[in-house]
Amino acid sequence: MRQRAGAGEELSLTLERLLRLIRELSTSGALSPTASTVLARLGGSGPMRLTELARITGVTQPAMTQLVGRMERDGLVTREVTKGDRRGVLVGLSEQGAAVLAARRAERATALDDLLGRLDPDDQVAIAGALPALGRLVDSITAE
Amino acid sequence: MRQRAGAGEELSLTLERLLRLIRELSTSGALSPTASTVLARLGGSGPMRLTELARITGVTQPAMTQLVGRMERDGLVTREVTKGDRRGVLVGLSEQGAAVLAARRAERATALDDLLGRLDPDDQVAIAGALPALGRLVDSITAE
DNA sequence: TATTGTTATACTCTATAACTATA
DNA sequence: TATAGTTATAGAGTATAACAATA
C-alpha cells in the first residue's frame, strides 16, 4: 500500500479532533494559541526580534506589538532595544515565562503519555512509529 | 517496544506544528476555529440545539448565541424554534454553509494528499497505519 | 527612501452577570 | 423553580491604515 485515496481527508479530520484535545491538556498560564507559539519559539531559539516573531507566528507586526505588550505586562517576556540598530526590539523569555513553558509541556506530556498508555499495545506502536513520518510531513512544508 | 518515555511530549510538539499547518490549508469562508467546528458538526450530525452546540464546541451559551448570530448573518446556518419546546433554537446548515464545509474539506484533503504523496513510501505507510490508532486515542477521551 | 515598530480604529470572539421567556 | 436563550459589558486578539523613529 503506497497511498490510499482519501488519506488526507482522514488525517485532516483526525487532527482536527486531536487539536482541540491537546489544547485542553495544557492550561498553565491560560495562553492564547499565538502566545503559546511565541513562548515555545523563544524557549527553543532564544531571544528574537519582534518582526521575526510576527513572521514566524503568522500575525502582523502591530498584532505582535500588542501581544508582546500583554505578555510583558503579565511577566512572561522581556523587551530590550537591539544592539547596533536602535529601531529593533529584542524579545526574550522571562524566568516566569520559562517556568510556564515548562509547566505546559509537562502537562501535555504526562497527559498524553497517560492516554497512550491506555491504548492497545499495537496502537501504541503504530503511533510511535508514525511520529517521525509526521515530523517530516511538517518539515516538507516549513522548509519551503 | 510498548511505550517510549516522552512519546507524549513528542506527539504533542509534532501535533502543535501540524495544527498550524492544517489551518493554513483550508481558507474557504475564512471561519474561526469554533465556527469551523460548528459547521462540521452540523454537517455530520444534522440540525442541533444551540445549547448542544455550545457544549460540544466547549464555549459558553452566550458565545454560541453570538456566533450563530454572525453565522446566520453570513448565510451559513439557519435558525428555527424547536417543535414542542418554544424556548429552544434548532440550528441547521444552510445550502451555502454546506457548500463552504465541502470546499474546506476538499481543500485540506487535496493539500494533505499532495503532501503525503511527496513523502517516502515507508512514511506514507507509517502515517496511514497510525490514523486508526490516533482516532481511538481521541475517542478514548471524547467518550468520557 | 526603506525598515522597524507603534498608535488609531474597527471588528471578531470570548467570558461573566443579569435578564426574559417558557416549562 | 428550572431550563433555554438573549442582552449587557468588558477584555483579548486580530487587521488595515497612518504615524514616528532610525537607518
Short mmCIF file of all heavy atoms in Angstrom, two decimals, chain B residues 51 61-62 65 79 87-89, chain D residues 2-9:
data_model
loop_
_atom_site.label_atom_id
_atom_site.label_comp_id
_atom_site.label_asym_id
_atom_site.label_seq_id
_atom_site.Cartn_x
_atom_site.Cartn_y
_atom_site.Cartn_z
N THR B 51 -27.76 24.98 22.69
CA THR B 51 -27.06 24.55 23.90
C THR B 51 -26.14 23.36 23.63
O THR B 51 -25.03 23.30 24.15
CB THR B 51 -28.08 24.17 24.99
OG1 THR B 51 -28.86 25.31 25.30
CG2 THR B 51 -27.39 23.67 26.24
N GLN B 61 -22.88 29.38 26.45
CA GLN B 61 -24.13 29.57 25.70
C GLN B 61 -24.19 30.98 25.07
O GLN B 61 -24.54 31.09 23.89
CB GLN B 61 -25.31 29.35 26.65
CG GLN B 61 -26.52 28.75 25.98
CD GLN B 61 -27.57 28.35 27.00
OE1 GLN B 61 -28.00 29.15 27.83
NE2 GLN B 61 -28.00 27.10 26.93
N PRO B 62 -23.86 32.02 25.82
CA PRO B 62 -23.88 33.36 25.20
C PRO B 62 -22.94 33.46 24.00
O PRO B 62 -23.28 34.09 22.99
CB PRO B 62 -23.42 34.27 26.33
CG PRO B 62 -23.82 33.56 27.56
CD PRO B 62 -23.62 32.10 27.27
N THR B 65 -24.65 31.84 21.13
CA THR B 65 -25.73 32.71 20.63
C THR B 65 -25.17 33.73 19.65
O THR B 65 -25.71 33.93 18.56
CB THR B 65 -26.38 33.46 21.81
OG1 THR B 65 -27.14 32.55 22.60
CG2 THR B 65 -27.31 34.56 21.29
N ARG B 79 -31.84 29.19 11.57
CA ARG B 79 -32.36 29.04 12.93
C ARG B 79 -33.86 28.84 12.86
O ARG B 79 -34.54 29.47 12.06
CB ARG B 79 -32.09 30.31 13.74
CG ARG B 79 -30.67 30.59 14.08
CD ARG B 79 -30.52 32.01 14.59
NE ARG B 79 -31.53 32.29 15.60
CZ ARG B 79 -31.26 32.54 16.88
NH1 ARG B 79 -30.01 32.58 17.28
NH2 ARG B 79 -32.21 32.75 17.74
N ARG B 87 -38.88 27.35 23.83
CA ARG B 87 -37.69 28.06 24.32
C ARG B 87 -36.49 27.73 23.45
O ARG B 87 -35.56 28.51 23.32
CB ARG B 87 -37.37 27.62 25.76
CG ARG B 87 -38.40 28.00 26.77
CD ARG B 87 -38.08 27.35 28.10
NE ARG B 87 -37.97 25.89 27.96
CZ ARG B 87 -37.69 25.07 28.95
NH1 ARG B 87 -37.45 25.55 30.16
NH2 ARG B 87 -37.63 23.78 28.76
N GLY B 88 -36.51 26.54 22.87
CA GLY B 88 -35.33 26.03 22.16
C GLY B 88 -35.11 26.61 20.77
O GLY B 88 -36.05 27.09 20.13
N VAL B 89 -33.85 26.59 20.33
CA VAL B 89 -33.49 27.03 18.99
C VAL B 89 -32.76 25.90 18.28
O VAL B 89 -31.77 25.36 18.80
CB VAL B 89 -32.57 28.27 19.04
CG1 VAL B 89 -32.03 28.59 17.65
CG2 VAL B 89 -33.32 29.46 19.62
P DA D 2 -34.53 25.09 41.48
OP1 DA D 2 -34.01 23.86 42.12
OP2 DA D 2 -33.80 26.36 41.61
"O5'" DA D 2 -34.76 24.78 39.94
"C5'" DA D 2 -35.50 23.62 39.56
"C4'" DA D 2 -35.45 23.43 38.07
"O4'" DA D 2 -36.30 24.42 37.44
"C3'" DA D 2 -34.06 23.62 37.46
"O3'" DA D 2 -33.88 22.62 36.48
"C2'" DA D 2 -34.11 25.03 36.88
"C1'" DA D 2 -35.57 25.14 36.47
N9 DA D 2 -36.12 26.49 36.46
C8 DA D 2 -35.99 27.46 37.41
N7 DA D 2 -36.62 28.57 37.13
C5 DA D 2 -37.21 28.33 35.90
C6 DA D 2 -38.01 29.11 35.06
N6 DA D 2 -38.38 30.36 35.35
N1 DA D 2 -38.42 28.56 33.90
C2 DA D 2 -38.05 27.30 33.61
N3 DA D 2 -37.30 26.46 34.33
C4 DA D 2 -36.91 27.05 35.47
P DT D 3 -32.53 22.49 35.65
OP1 DT D 3 -32.23 21.07 35.47
OP2 DT D 3 -31.56 23.42 36.25
"O5'" DT D 3 -32.95 23.07 34.22
"C5'" DT D 3 -34.07 22.49 33.56
"C4'" DT D 3 -34.31 23.20 32.25
"O4'" DT D 3 -34.86 24.51 32.52
"C3'" DT D 3 -33.05 23.43 31.40
"O3'" DT D 3 -33.33 23.01 30.08
"C2'" DT D 3 -32.81 24.93 31.52
"C1'" DT D 3 -34.22 25.45 31.69
N1 DT D 3 -34.37 26.77 32.38
C2 DT D 3 -35.17 27.72 31.81
O2 DT D 3 -35.77 27.54 30.76
N3 DT D 3 -35.26 28.88 32.52
C4 DT D 3 -34.64 29.19 33.72
O4 DT D 3 -34.81 30.28 34.25
C5 DT D 3 -33.81 28.15 34.25
C7 DT D 3 -33.09 28.38 35.54
C6 DT D 3 -33.71 26.99 33.56
P DA D 4 -32.22 23.14 28.92
OP1 DA D 4 -32.42 22.01 28.00
OP2 DA D 4 -30.91 23.39 29.54
"O5'" DA D 4 -32.66 24.47 28.16
"C5'" DA D 4 -33.87 24.47 27.42
"C4'" DA D 4 -33.92 25.67 26.50
"O4'" DA D 4 -34.19 26.85 27.29
"C3'" DA D 4 -32.61 25.94 25.76
"O3'" DA D 4 -32.90 26.24 24.39
"C2'" DA D 4 -32.00 27.12 26.49
"C1'" DA D 4 -33.21 27.83 27.06
N9 DA D 4 -32.97 28.48 28.35
C8 DA D 4 -32.28 27.95 29.42
N7 DA D 4 -32.23 28.75 30.46
C5 DA D 4 -32.94 29.87 30.06
C6 DA D 4 -33.26 31.08 30.70
N6 DA D 4 -32.89 31.37 31.95
N1 DA D 4 -33.98 31.99 30.02
C2 DA D 4 -34.36 31.70 28.77
N3 DA D 4 -34.13 30.59 28.05
C4 DA D 4 -33.40 29.71 28.77
P DG D 5 -31.67 26.47 23.37
OP1 DG D 5 -32.14 26.15 22.00
OP2 DG D 5 -30.46 25.84 23.91
"O5'" DG D 5 -31.51 28.05 23.46
"C5'" DG D 5 -32.60 28.86 23.04
"C4'" DG D 5 -32.42 30.28 23.53
"O4'" DG D 5 -32.24 30.30 24.95
"C3'" DG D 5 -31.20 31.01 22.98
"O3'" DG D 5 -31.61 31.83 21.88
"C2'" DG D 5 -30.70 31.83 24.17
"C1'" DG D 5 -31.72 31.57 25.26
N9 DG D 5 -31.14 31.53 26.60
C8 DG D 5 -30.38 30.53 27.17
N7 DG D 5 -30.02 30.79 28.40
C5 DG D 5 -30.55 32.04 28.65
C6 DG D 5 -30.48 32.85 29.82
O6 DG D 5 -29.91 32.60 30.89
N1 DG D 5 -31.17 34.04 29.66
C2 DG D 5 -31.83 34.41 28.51
N2 DG D 5 -32.44 35.60 28.53
N3 DG D 5 -31.92 33.68 27.42
C4 DG D 5 -31.26 32.51 27.56
P DT D 6 -30.67 32.94 21.26
OP1 DT D 6 -31.24 33.32 19.95
OP2 DT D 6 -29.27 32.46 21.36
"O5'" DT D 6 -30.82 34.18 22.24
"C5'" DT D 6 -32.11 34.77 22.42
"C4'" DT D 6 -32.01 36.05 23.23
"O4'" DT D 6 -31.53 35.73 24.56
"C3'" DT D 6 -31.02 37.08 22.66
"O3'" DT D 6 -31.71 38.31 22.51
"C2'" DT D 6 -29.90 37.16 23.70
"C1'" DT D 6 -30.58 36.67 24.96
N1 DT D 6 -29.69 35.97 25.94
C2 DT D 6 -29.47 36.54 27.16
O2 DT D 6 -29.94 37.60 27.50
N3 DT D 6 -28.65 35.80 27.99
C4 DT D 6 -28.06 34.59 27.71
O4 DT D 6 -27.35 34.02 28.53
C5 DT D 6 -28.34 34.06 26.40
C7 DT D 6 -27.75 32.75 25.99
C6 DT D 6 -29.13 34.77 25.58
P DT D 7 -30.99 39.57 21.86
OP1 DT D 7 -32.04 40.36 21.21
OP2 DT D 7 -29.83 39.11 21.10
"O5'" DT D 7 -30.47 40.39 23.13
"C5'" DT D 7 -31.38 40.77 24.16
"C4'" DT D 7 -30.65 41.52 25.25
"O4'" DT D 7 -29.89 40.61 26.07
"C3'" DT D 7 -29.64 42.58 24.77
"O3'" DT D 7 -29.83 43.75 25.54
"C2'" DT D 7 -28.29 41.93 25.01
"C1'" DT D 7 -28.58 41.10 26.24
N1 DT D 7 -27.71 39.91 26.46
C2 DT D 7 -27.16 39.71 27.70
O2 DT D 7 -27.34 40.46 28.64
N3 DT D 7 -26.40 38.57 27.81
C4 DT D 7 -26.13 37.65 26.83
O4 DT D 7 -25.43 36.67 27.07
C5 DT D 7 -26.73 37.92 25.55
C7 DT D 7 -26.49 36.99 24.41
C6 DT D 7 -27.48 39.03 25.43
P DA D 8 -28.97 45.08 25.31
OP1 DA D 8 -29.83 46.23 25.60
OP2 DA D 8 -28.30 44.98 23.99
"O5'" DA D 8 -27.86 44.97 26.46
"C5'" DA D 8 -28.27 44.79 27.82
"C4'" DA D 8 -27.10 45.03 28.76
"O4'" DA D 8 -26.37 43.79 28.96
"C3'" DA D 8 -26.07 46.05 28.28
"O3'" DA D 8 -25.63 46.81 29.41
"C2'" DA D 8 -24.96 45.20 27.70
"C1'" DA D 8 -25.00 43.96 28.59
N9 DA D 8 -24.58 42.71 27.96
C8 DA D 8 -24.89 42.27 26.71
N7 DA D 8 -24.38 41.09 26.42
C5 DA D 8 -23.70 40.73 27.57
C6 DA D 8 -22.95 39.59 27.91
N6 DA D 8 -22.77 38.56 27.10
N1 DA D 8 -22.39 39.55 29.14
C2 DA D 8 -22.59 40.58 29.97
N3 DA D 8 -23.26 41.71 29.76
C4 DA D 8 -23.81 41.72 28.52
P DT D 9 -24.67 48.09 29.23
OP1 DT D 9 -24.97 49.03 30.33
OP2 DT D 9 -24.70 48.54 27.83
"O5'" DT D 9 -23.23 47.46 29.54
"C5'" DT D 9 -23.04 46.76 30.76
"C4'" DT D 9 -21.68 46.10 30.79
"O4'" DT D 9 -21.71 44.88 30.01
"C3'" DT D 9 -20.54 46.94 30.23
"O3'" DT D 9 -19.59 47.13 31.25
"C2'" DT D 9 -19.98 46.10 29.08
"C1'" DT D 9 -20.44 44.71 29.46
N1 DT D 9 -20.58 43.75 28.33
C2 DT D 9 -20.04 42.49 28.47
O2 DT D 9 -19.46 42.13 29.47
N3 DT D 9 -20.22 41.66 27.39
C4 DT D 9 -20.86 41.97 26.21
O4 DT D 9 -20.96 41.15 25.31
C5 DT D 9 -21.40 43.31 26.12
C7 DT D 9 -22.10 43.74 24.88
C6 DT D 9 -21.23 44.12 27.18
#
